[in-house]
Amino acid sequence: METLSLYISPDGNDKLDGGSPENKGASGPMASLQAAFDRLASLKRQSVMPDDVKIFVRGGTYTLTKPIVLKPAHSFV
C-alpha cells in the first residue's frame, strides 16, 4: 500500500510539494491545509491517488486569511 505524507508548517510555502521539513529545494512543507487539500485534488484529477494519505501539521501559529474551502473535487470517496 502506497502512503503519501504531506507536511504543513508555519514556516512552509504553499508553492512547495509538502515534503518533509528536512528537505531542501522545491521539496518542503506547505504553509496551509488548503494547499494540501488542493494538492490531493490535483492528484485525484490525474488519477494517481495513493492508497493512504497522512497530513502532518507541525506545531506553531497558523493565521487564516480566508476560510478553508472543501469542494466536491476534494472528496476521495
Side-chain angles (χ1 to χ4, degrees):
M1 172 165 52
E2 179 188 352
T3 299
L4 172 65
S5 296
L6 296 176
Y7 293 84
I8 311 298
S9 171
D11 298 328
N13 182 329
D14 284 344
K15 294 180 181 177
L16 298 177
D17 67 359
S20 172
E22 290 76 30
N23 292 343
K24 304 292 183 216
S27 181
M30 296 174 182
S32 69
L33 282 170
Q34 185 70 59
F37 294 142
D38 290 346
R39 172 140 189 256
L40 294 174
S42 175
L43 291 174
K44 179 182 173 186
R45 282 191 304 273
Q46 298 169 38
S47 298
V48 291
M49 278 300 294
D51 296 325
D52 190 30
V53 176
K54 294 181 181 181
I55 298 176
F56 296 94
V57 180
R58 304 216 11 137
T61 301
Y62 294 83
T63 303
L64 293 177
T65 57
K66 55 187 175 181
I68 294 172
V69 177
L70 298 177
K71 299 177 181 178
H74 294 105
S75 173
F76 305 104
V77 180

